[in-house]
């Protein structure tokens, strides 16, 4: 093998792995790490390499697969007709080639195209039998997806009965999404509640439809636009007619689709919506061009990945040039130092932007920014802008790159970097101002102690006046202290003190979360509260007991143990306890556990739970596990290969038999966070 072959094999392998990684982030975690444009460039490069060197192609290449594996959380549903992806391009020349290709296959026919917006959401297929909605299924890997009927109906308005359906069974395919207005309202609410924001409407749509906890989905308003109708027997002649039927049956369709006869009409449509897409109520990332006649679609057929009768023209993300003014280094409450780029304000996707986070030291070193650099900033559907390029030709000579500081920008303590991590920390937990103030802000936020009267400004004022340095100091505040602060009057001072007093009623898990122990988010705080029931037991818990909890790995367990062994934290906890905070689970909370006093039998193996995790969740939900079926048993949870004798006995005794998903719904899985 030649050296150049080796380099190509390596590039193909690296690209294949990288694309798989991004597929996982995008489709499974709903948290893309790179823009769609950057992702599409990676795929394009791999497609080209595979075309030139087909013998080096990796088996199961992501250029030939669709979406991601179904979750296996809910029953798998096969698609009688595969749900494919779309061929896509960012180049107008390729649209011209597409039209030419289509015309070549059917040269004697007059061909028309339907141009319609490409909505940036999640593809769903809705099945109807005898005019009734029977299932809503995700695309999954194109051949089978997840049945999400219950969840989807909870957050979307869909026609559940179609009175005048001329066919016994059919499928409506389309895109679920969140409108721009609902997304903004939802994120504004989360901001007020101190919760992390969703990056874009597509992520929240996918997150909602994948949610394990149906209660979490409540209040999230999604919409659905139908873009195709699949029938077992031909029933209509054109795609345009299908769209008209969908609208007649009560499906929302974007009424801006247009039938175009030639390339020039297609281009006019593409250009028009490039200018006007921000005016639409829903985010679109391109235009889909489809051959209108179904007969002609059949003639053109499909590849394994996409139909040959359609193509998506994708709009490039909005970008703008600006000048880098500075990079500052922000210290978070856990001591993590993050570089933030500040640049001359520019308008992108309708809003002014002037800052972009650079994530970590490695990224800063790799990009070697200089003050005054001309930078290219990109903002797609995402709310967070990114720096995607530097114009080196514009760089002024004799400037030095901006380096990551060696010591904390706030307290000058030398920074520390754990082996194998890309992040620098300031280890000065006791005196580093942004860390201490960050901890206080975390403590008062709505998800923690919900002391709403205190925001960043009040924290600053209390700090300046040397009244508050730790969370425990809040509970020592007196009226005379607060009234002397700038901006406080009798009423506001009393309100603040009342707010602090009422925070003493917050339950034990919220107190645990409020402490800001590294890695202990609100769900893990709940798990710890349920498992240990009181602070004292948790404080004394050996590493082995923490490790026995399925959600806790070695790093988290070590952090928790180290936290409770730290004398400063012990002093803080003692102060908070004497202030009267809830240091144990309330009896009432135990009685409210979703399966209190229930008896459960499990049988078989499970997709999502290990047997140990399932047993743990049952206990955490307040139920008791029993081994044999009797009239005293409340539920049987049956997995694959569940014992037939057990199931028959349960049926005879009319004991409800639950699948894995039913059980998760019952225990409000997400709120207990068991695995
Ligand atoms: N940023 C990342 O890391 C990352 C990772 C993986 C995938 N992605 C994005 O996902 C894309 C690949 O996903 P894909 O296979 O779903 O392709 P796609 O989203 O580009 O195109 C196919 C999909 O378009 C949707 N669609 C919207 N409007 C439509 C309409 N009017 N008619 C027909 N279909 C319509 C359908 O859901 C269909 O399944 C990538 O091109 C990229 O944009 C991004
Ligand atoms: Zn510091």
């Amino acid at each position: 093998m030649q050296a150049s072959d080796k380099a190509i094999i390596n590039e193909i392998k690296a690209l294949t792995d990288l694309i798989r990684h991004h597929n996982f982030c995008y489709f499974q975690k709903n948290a893309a790490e790179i823009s769609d444009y950057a992702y599409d460039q990676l795929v394009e490069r791999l497609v080209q390499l595979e075309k030139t060197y087909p013998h080096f192609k990796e088996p199961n290449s992501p250029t030939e697969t669709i979406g991601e594996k179904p979750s296996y959380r809910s029953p798998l549903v096969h698609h009688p007709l595969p749900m494919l992806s779309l061929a896509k391009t960012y180049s107008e020349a390729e649209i011209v080639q597409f039209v030419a290709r289509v015309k070549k296959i059917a040269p004697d026919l007059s061909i028309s195209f339907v141009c319609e917006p490409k909505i940036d959401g999640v593809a769903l297929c809705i099945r109807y039998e005898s005019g009734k909605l029977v299932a809503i299924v995700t695309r999954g890997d194109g051949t089978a997806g997840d049945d999400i009927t219950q969840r989807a109906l909870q957050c979307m308005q869909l026609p559940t009965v179609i009175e005048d359906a001329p066919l016994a069974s059919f499928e409506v395919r389309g895109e679920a999404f969140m409108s721009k207005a609902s997304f903004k309202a939802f994120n504004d609410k989360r901001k007020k509640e101190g919760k992390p924001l969703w990056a874009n409407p597509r992520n929240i749509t996918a997150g909602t439809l994948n949610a394990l906890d149906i209660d979490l989905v409540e209040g999230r308003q999604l919409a659905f636009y139908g873009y195709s109708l699949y029938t077992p027997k031909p029933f209509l002649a054109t795609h345009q007619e299908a769209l008209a039927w969908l609208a007649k049956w009560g499906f929302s369709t974007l009424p801006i689709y247009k039938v175009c006869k030639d390339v020039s009409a297609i281009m006019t449509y593409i250009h028009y919506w490039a200018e006007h897409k921000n005016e639409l109520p829903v985010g679109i990332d391109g235009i889909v061009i489809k051959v209108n006649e179904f007969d002609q679609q059949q003639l053109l057929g499909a590849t394994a990945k996409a139909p040959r009768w359609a193509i998506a023209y994708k709009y490039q993300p909005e970008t703008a040039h600006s000048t880098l003014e500075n990079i500052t280094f922000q210290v978070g409450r856990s001591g993590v130092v993050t570089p933030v780029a500040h640049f001359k304000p520019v308008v992108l996707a309708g809003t002014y932007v002037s800052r972009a986070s650079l994530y970590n030291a490695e990224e800063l070193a790799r990009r070697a920014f200089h003050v005054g650099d001309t930078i290219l900033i990109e903002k797609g559907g995402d709310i967070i802008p990114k720096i995607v390029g530097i114009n080196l030709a514009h760089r002024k000579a004799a400037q030095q790159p901006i380096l990551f500081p060696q010591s904390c920008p706030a307290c000058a303590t030398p920074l520390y970097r754990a082996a194998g991590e890309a992040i620098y920390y300031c280890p000065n937990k006791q005196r580093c101002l942004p860390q201490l103030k960050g901890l206080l802000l975390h403590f008062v936020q709505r998800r923690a102690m919900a002391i709403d009267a205190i925001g960043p400004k009040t924290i600053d004022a209390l700090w300046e006046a040397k009244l508050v340095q730790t969370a425990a100091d809040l509970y020592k505040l007196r009226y005379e202290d607060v009234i002397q602060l700038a901006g406080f009057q009798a009423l506001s001072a009393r309100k603040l003190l009342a707010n602090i007093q009422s925070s003493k009623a917050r339950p034990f898990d919220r107190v645990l979360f409020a402490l800001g122990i590294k890695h202990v988010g609100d769900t893990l705080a709940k798990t710890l509260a349920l498992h240990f029931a009181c602070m004292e037991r948790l404080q004394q818990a050996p590493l082995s007991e923490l490790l026995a909890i399925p959600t806790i790995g070695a790093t988290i367990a070590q952090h928790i143990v180290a936290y409770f062994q730290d004398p400063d934290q012990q002093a803080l906890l003692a102060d908070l306890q004497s202030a009267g905070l809830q240091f144990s689970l309330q009896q009432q909370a135990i009685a409210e556990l979703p399966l209190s006093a229930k008896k459960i039998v499990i049988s078989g193996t499970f997709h999502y739970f290990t047997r140990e995790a399932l047993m743990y969740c049952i206990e955490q939900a307040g139920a008791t596990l029993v081994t044999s079926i009797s009239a005293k048993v409340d539920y049987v949870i049956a997995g694959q290969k569940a014992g037939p004798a057990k199931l028959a006995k349960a049926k005879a005794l009319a004991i409800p038999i639950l699948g894995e998903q039913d059980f998760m719904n019952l225990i409000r899985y997400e709120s207990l966070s068991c695995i």
Side-chain angles (χ1 to χ4, degrees):
M1 187 187 296
Q2 294 186 344
S4 59
D5 279 357
K6 194 135 206 272
I8 287 156
I9 293 172
N10 286 346
E11 187 179 353
I12 289 181
K13 167 119 193 42
L15 270 172
T16 305
D17 289 348
L18 192 60
I19 293 169
R20 282 198 183 122
H21 165 78
H22 289 306
N23 280 349
F24 177 76
C25 295
Y26 182 86
F27 290 113
Q28 305 291 103
K29 287 185 12 194
N30 303 319
E33 289 177 354
I34 56 172
S35 71
D36 287 356
Y37 181 66
Y39 170 88
D40 288 339
Q41 302 300 301
L42 295 176
V43 174
E44 182 54 29
R45 170 81 185 141
L46 184 57
V47 167
Q48 290 310 330
L49 284 171
E50 287 178 349
K51 235 186 224 165
T52 323
Y53 308 98
H55 44 296
F56 293 151
K57 190 166 166 179
E58 293 269 313
N60 236 342
S61 164
T63 58
E64 283 170 357
T65 55
I66 293 168
E68 261 296 323
K69 287 188 181 63
S71 71
Y72 299 116
R73 265 189 250 121
S74 33
L76 263 193
V77 181
H78 266 269
H79 299 299
L81 273 165
M83 284 184 83
L84 298 178
S85 178
L86 283 170
K88 52 189 88 78
T89 180
Y90 289 86
S91 132
E92 292 188 7
E94 285 192 28
I95 299 297
V96 177
Q97 285 164 15
F98 165 74
V99 172
R101 231 174 18 246
V102 167
K103 292 204 158 159
K104 219 167 154 185
I105 291 179
D108 305 330
L109 303 174
S110 91
I111 295 183
S112 64
F113 299 87
V114 176
C115 293
E116 57 193 45
K118 183 170 184 301
I119 305 148
D120 196 10
V122 174
L124 292 182
C125 145
I126 309 184
R127 285 205 191 153
Y128 289 85
E129 304 279 354
S130 312
K132 287 208 184 75
L133 188 158
V134 290
I136 303 177
V137 186
T138 63
R139 185 175 65 167
D141 63 0
T143 54
D146 287 318
D147 184 334
I148 55 155
T149 314
Q150 220 187 337
R151 257 166 294 160
L153 284 177
Q154 191 138 352
C155 50
M156 281 191 295
Q157 298 275 336
L158 290 167
T160 47
V161 178
I162 295 179
E163 297 287 353
D164 56 349
L167 291 157
S169 58
F170 54 91
E171 276 186 19
V172 174
R173 291 185 181 176
E175 198 84 349
F177 64 93
M178 187 178 261
S179 73
K180 287 180 194 164
S182 299
F183 178 68
K184 185 173 178 311
F186 193 76
N187 252 354
D188 285 351
K189 187 164 159 271
R190 282 178 80 86
K191 202 171 185 180
K192 270 200 203 122
E193 292 168 357
K195 293 183 180 167
L197 302 187
W198 286 89
N200 57 46
R202 192 241 159 229
N203 286 4
I204 186 171
T205 306
T208 304
L209 295 172
N210 285 335
L212 291 166
D213 184 343
I214 291 198
D215 287 351
L216 268 185
V217 168
E218 237 173 31
R220 294 191 193 171
Q221 208 44 52
L222 300 184
F224 177 86
Y225 280 141
Y227 56 63
S228 63
L229 175 63
Y230 281 83
T231 57
K233 278 196 225 121
F235 146 68
L236 299 166
T238 65
H239 177 61
Q240 190 188 3
E241 283 168 24
L243 292 180
W245 273 92
L246 294 183
K248 184 168 169 276
W249 288 338
F251 284 96
S252 308
T253 50
L254 270 180
I256 55 170
Y257 63 84
K258 194 167 175 123
V259 181
C260 296
K261 296 264 178 226
D262 53 26
V263 170
S264 118
I266 294 175
M267 288 308 171
T268 308
Y269 187 88
I270 288 178
H271 294 158
Y272 179 84
W273 286 110
E275 285 295 310
H276 294 272
K277 65 180 181 337
N278 288 342
E279 296 157 22
L280 287 172
V282 36
I284 69 167
D285 59 353
I287 297 296
V288 188
I289 302 129
K290 298 173 178 170
V291 170
N292 193 12
E293 302 268 342
F294 288 144
D295 281 353
Q296 293 168 1
Q297 290 188 1
Q298 286 255 281
L299 215 57
L300 288 153
T303 66
K305 183 148 181 167
R308 288 202 186 86
W309 45 263
I311 191 165
Y313 176 85
K314 288 183 77 170
Y315 292 122
Q316 299 244 3
E318 287 193 33
T319 55
H321 284 101
S322 180
T323 308
L324 183 66
E325 291 182 325
N326 193 9
I327 290 180
T328 56
F329 296 88
Q330 294 184 347
V331 186
R333 76 174 156 85
S334 54
V336 173
V337 181
T338 314
V340 178
H342 300 255
F343 44 84
K344 287 218 170 86
V346 280
V347 177
L348 266 181
T351 50
Y352 270 104
V353 290
S354 59
R355 289 150 57 103
S357 166
L358 293 167
Y359 304 113
N360 60 38
E362 237 136 55
E363 196 187 358
L364 190 75
R366 183 169 57 78
R367 294 176 147 199
F369 290 105
H370 292 53
V371 167
D373 271 348
T374 302
I375 49 174
L376 186 65
I377 302 135
E378 174 187 302
K379 190 168 179 243
D382 299 9
I383 50 169
I384 302 153
K386 297 182 189 95
I387 298 181
V388 290
I390 307 174
N391 189 339
L392 294 177
H394 286 186
R395 178 169 286 166
K396 297 186 185 70
Q399 280 193 342
Q400 296 299 312
I402 303 168
L403 300 176
F404 210 90
Q406 311 244 305
S407 52
C408 174
C411 71
T413 306
L415 296 181
Y416 159 83
R417 186 180 198 174
E421 280 192 25
I423 293 165
Y424 278 102
Y425 297 93
C426 164
N428 183 9
K429 296 225 162 301
Q430 293 77 17
R431 289 206 171 67
C432 183
L433 212 57
Q435 292 191 52
L436 295 169
K437 284 189 184 171
L439 269 176
L440 284 170
L441 268 175
H442 173 78
F443 186 85
V444 297
Q445 67 167 298
R446 191 163 292 174
R447 270 191 305 160
M449 302 306 276
I451 308 180
D452 289 353
I454 301 185
K457 270 198 196 140
T458 312
I459 297 263
D460 283 346
L462 289 166
W463 188 277
E464 297 296 317
K466 298 202 167 32
L467 289 167
V468 171
Q469 287 182 328
T470 70
D473 295 336
L474 291 170
Y475 298 92
K476 295 177 192 149
L477 284 175
R478 295 161 308 160
Y479 179 78
E480 307 85 87
D481 299 327
V482 183
I483 195 74
Q484 51 144 332
L485 299 176
F488 274 90
Q489 261 129 48
L491 192 66
S492 48
R494 281 205 193 92
K495 196 171 148 205
L496 183 136
L497 291 169
N499 212 197
I500 294 175
Q501 280 304 313
S502 61
S503 77
K504 291 181 183 171
R506 306 281 172 258
F508 176 40
D509 64 304
R510 299 264 291 269
V511 176
L512 265 181
F513 170 62
L515 294 175
I517 306 168
K518 202 169 167 191
H519 300 302
V520 179
D522 51 357
T523 40
L524 182 52
K526 258 184 203 135
T527 306
L528 290 171
L530 284 171
H531 186 100
F532 292 98
C534 71
M535 191 73 88
E536 204 184 337
R537 277 202 57 216
L538 173 59
Q539 277 177 288
Q540 289 160 4
L543 199 64
S544 56
E545 187 171 0
L546 286 161
L547 284 171
I549 298 177
T551 27
I552 300 185
T555 314
I556 299 181
Q558 277 155 11
H559 273 293
I560 296 174
V561 169
Y563 178 90
F564 288 109
Q565 281 174 354
D566 180 341
D568 287 339
Q569 307 302 353
Q570 286 170 354
L572 172 72
L573 287 169
D575 275 0
L576 289 173
Q577 188 169 25
S578 34
L581 270 60
Q582 300 293 327
F583 268 37
S584 65
L585 212 60
Q586 302 272 297
Q587 268 324 105
Q588 174 208 11
I590 295 172
E592 275 172 5
L593 287 176
L595 294 180
S596 261
K598 298 276 187 247
K599 290 198 165 50
I600 291 186
V601 170
I602 57 181
S603 179
T605 57
F606 299 87
H607 271 312
Y608 199 61
F609 290 92
T610 61
R611 207 172 174 82
E612 293 69 33
L614 188 60
M615 284 158 62
Y616 176 79
C617 281
I618 289 170
E619 268 174 35
Q620 289 277 289
T624 318
L625 194 70
V626 292
T627 45
S628 59
I629 305 227
S630 71
K632 289 192 185 136
V633 169
D634 295 284
Y635 296 110
V636 174
I637 306 174
Q640 270 185 345
K641 299 191 189 131
K646 267 194 183 150
L647 293 184
K649 195 163 175 195
K651 274 189 193 140
L653 290 168
I655 300 169
I657 301 173
L658 308 178
E660 216 170 345
Q661 182 69 47
D662 304 320
F663 172 67
M664 287 196 279
N665 293 343
L666 206 64
I667 61 167
R668 286 178 284 115
Y669 168 83
E670 197 98 322
S671 49
L672 281 173
S673 172
C674 297
I675 303 187

